[in-house]
Amino acid sequence: MQNICVLGSTGSIGISTLDVVKHHPDKYRVFALSCFSQIDMVVEQAKAVHPQYIVCADEAQYQTLKSKLNDAGVVTEILVGEEGLITIATLPEVDMVMAAIVGAAGLAPTYAAAKAGKRILLANKESLVMSGSLFMQSVKENNALLLPVDSEHNAIFQCLPQAIHSNEQATQLGIKKLLLTGSGGPFLNTPLAELETVTPEQACNHPNWDMGRKISVDSATMMNKGLEFIEAHWLFHMPKDMIQIVVHPQSVIHSMVQYQDGSVLAQMGRSDMRIPIAHVMAYPERIDSGVEALDFMQLNELTFCPPDFQRFPNLELAINAVDAGQWASTALNAANEISVAAFLNRQIRFTDIARINAKVVERINACDLNSIESVITHDIESRHIANQILRELT
Ligand code: NAD
Ligand code: MG
């Protein structure tokens, strides 16, 4: 029996994780849950899985959660805030940690799980984008196991002959390129002039995937693919020129690995995150994810095209950040969290997201980030600049 801690259990990935666990009560037990605003949902989850711990946002929520759990007859220890998240991510009873908090808020508990040598199921790409080599180093030093949940990286992981620990090793194994696919989101073919006026509802209406609001906007701006480019660079030790973005609107192929001899291996499946979630939970074994197999007779066509950097300026910002260094990736991620939230609040236009992101990277000072504390300080400083630019704009 494996104990799993689900950071961000009330989100899209968290809910899918609990669904996979539900199909395998003999193999997995939900040991801890965490929520941020959806108290009623976490109470429902607790009634179903009876976790040992739940983490909520603050003291005010603590009281509400406590009384609702009492009424429901659920006995669970309640912890609060970031400290609580770090506790549940590192408890000795916990075998695996699903890192499914959105944004920089996921960094501290996910990093703590790495330091505690856990098996980490990584959905929270922002934490790796923010801390890159520090995170990878901590995984290595503490014998943690880092398994990618992000469907593209999970696909690449499945298409690789073995785990990659250096670029030399990748080259020795005959790997030529990672082909990172992306659907292009809801605005792939929208006339450019109309992008100025698209709404949050339109941006969150992804053609293939049902996701949280932040990552949905990131998919619409293709910043999601930019963050994933940085994520792939760190996870698989690949330089920029060994990662290629391929637009594939149907999201059937989730990414590919191209080899020296001309072979290309692809992972395919339905657009349902329970597939990569089940994969990382059971790895190296396989379990039923609850998702139907892909039916090729139902597929009309698979198409591919290069990314349009004019339409999606965030892509270039992210790729350039890999070259510039960690300070640029961390700043870009922080700027993007501020600009996306402002767009969702209807304070700025869709096209302002990339403008703000670019300005923050321009204005922030380049510096060495050689500790998690320095990453967090740099993240705060970048948010500060993003908020200033936001005020200038609005
Ligand atoms: P979501 O918005 O649906 O859920 C986010 C979760 O994080 C919720 O449980 C929420 O309560 C919690 N949370 C939010 N802010 C928090 C804070 N400040 N402190 C603590 N908890 C907080 O998001 P999602 O779509 O499930 O995405 C989660 C992560 O997984 C993101 O990093 C995203 O990029 C990544 N991811 C998601 C998908 C997908 O299909 N949804 C695919 C690949 C990767
Ligand atoms: Mg993805």
Side-chain angles (χ1 to χ4, degrees):
M1 187 62 92
Q2 300 272 297
N3 283 331
I4 177 164
C5 159
V6 187
L7 301 172
S9 65
T10 55
S12 164
I13 294 288
I15 292 168
S16 293
T17 305
L18 295 188
D19 191 76
V20 175
V21 170
K22 195 172 79 186
H23 285 80
H24 302 279
D26 53 322
K27 287 194 169 72
Y28 307 100
R29 167 156 163 251
V30 178
F31 200 76
L33 297 173
S34 94
C35 67
F36 193 61
S37 51
Q38 303 99 316
I39 295 289
D40 289 331
M41 191 191 300
V42 91
V43 171
E44 286 309 308
Q45 292 180 336
K47 282 203 272 187
V49 303
H50 291 273
Q52 299 287 306
Y53 295 86
I54 300 180
V55 177
C56 63
D58 52 32
E59 290 298 333
Q61 271 192 3
Y62 176 94
Q63 294 305 335
T64 317
L65 182 57
K66 195 173 165 192
S67 80
K68 290 196 176 191
L69 287 172
N70 242 337
D71 295 347
V74 181
V75 184
T76 301
E77 187 155 345
I78 307 173
L79 305 177
V80 170
E82 188 171 277
E83 211 175 300
L85 293 172
I86 292 173
T87 302
I88 59 169
T90 55
L91 285 168
E93 298 93 324
V94 166
D95 299 295
M96 54 178 97
V97 175
M98 167 54 81
I101 288 174
V102 61
L107 176 63
T110 310
Y111 190 72
K115 280 214 289 202
K118 297 297 183 192
R119 178 184 181 115
I120 303 171
L121 319 181
L122 185 74
N124 177 228
K125 66 194 85 185
E126 295 93 341
S127 57
L128 189 54
V129 167
M130 289 173 77
S131 63
S133 74
L134 286 167
F135 193 92
M136 296 305 290
Q137 204 181 324
S138 180
V139 166
K140 191 173 161 190
E141 280 171 9
N142 298 290
N143 246 329
L145 178 61
L146 183 61
L147 298 170
V149 173
D150 213 348
S151 57
E152 296 75 8
H153 306 74
N154 183 268
I156 290 167
F157 183 82
Q158 293 198 48
C159 295
L160 289 170
Q162 61 186 76
I164 304 292
H165 299 293
S166 70
N167 188 249
E168 298 75 59
Q169 184 201 6
T171 309
Q172 272 164 21
L173 289 166
I175 294 158
K176 202 167 170 197
K177 253 184 194 173
L178 306 182
L179 305 178
L180 189 65
T181 57
S183 68
F187 305 137
L188 183 61
N189 299 309
T190 306
L192 278 184
E194 285 176 26
L195 290 183
E196 293 270 317
T197 54
V198 296
T199 63
E201 290 70 32
Q202 287 171 297
C204 289
N205 187 19
H206 196 280
N208 308 334
W209 298 94
D210 182 11
M211 309 179 286
R213 280 164 72 78
K214 191 258 178 185
I215 184 176
S216 294
V217 175
D218 284 348
S219 299
T221 63
M222 283 197 86
M223 177 50 105
N224 184 49
K225 212 49 56 187
L227 296 175
E228 291 182 356
F229 190 98
I230 304 173
E231 184 185 11
H233 161 69
W234 290 117
L235 270 177
F236 304 116
H237 305 273
M238 291 288 165
K240 192 173 102 165
D241 56 3
M242 283 178 78
I243 311 171
Q244 185 182 348
I245 296 171
V246 177
V247 174
H248 164 46
Q250 297 82 14
S251 302
V252 170
I253 293 179
H254 298 305
S255 278
M256 304 178 258
V257 178
Q258 185 188 331
Y259 288 86
Q260 296 286 314
D261 61 6
S263 297
V264 178
L265 301 193
Q267 187 265 357
M268 293 178 249
R270 290 185 191 270
S271 310
D272 190 319
M273 289 305 292
R274 288 176 297 171
I275 297 175
I277 292 169
H279 174 261
V280 292
M281 281 171 59
Y283 176 81
E285 289 170 19
R286 298 269 179 178
I287 54 169
D288 181 5
S289 64
V291 182
E292 263 182 79
L294 189 61
D295 181 357
F296 281 85
M297 302 312 134
Q298 300 281 317
L299 295 178
N300 294 321
E301 54 173 10
L302 300 185
T303 59
F304 307 92
C305 63
D308 177 346
F309 290 101
Q310 195 198 343
R311 177 180 291 272
F312 301 114
N314 276 316
L315 270 182
E316 200 160 19
L317 293 177
I319 295 171
N320 289 343
V322 169
D323 266 349
Q326 187 60 60
W327 65 270
S329 301
T330 307
L332 183 60
N333 178 70
N336 186 59
E337 289 192 27
I338 299 291
S339 58
V340 169
F343 169 68
L344 286 170
N345 279 332
R346 299 174 207 278
Q347 289 169 272
I348 58 168
R349 289 169 298 187
F350 181 75
T351 42
D352 290 331
I353 296 173
R355 285 191 197 114
I356 294 176
N357 294 352
K359 279 196 182 149
V360 171
V361 181
E362 250 169 60
R363 281 196 204 171
I364 189 108
N365 290 325
C367 57
D368 274 341
L369 301 180
N370 39 30
S371 66
I372 284 295
E373 294 69 32
S374 65
V375 166
I376 292 167
T377 309
H378 192 68
D379 171 78
I380 293 171
E381 174 66 16
S382 308
R383 283 165 197 267
H384 188 66
I385 297 175
N387 278 317
Q388 262 171 12
I389 297 168
L390 194 61
R391 278 193 297 273
E392 289 163 19
L393 257 179
T394 54

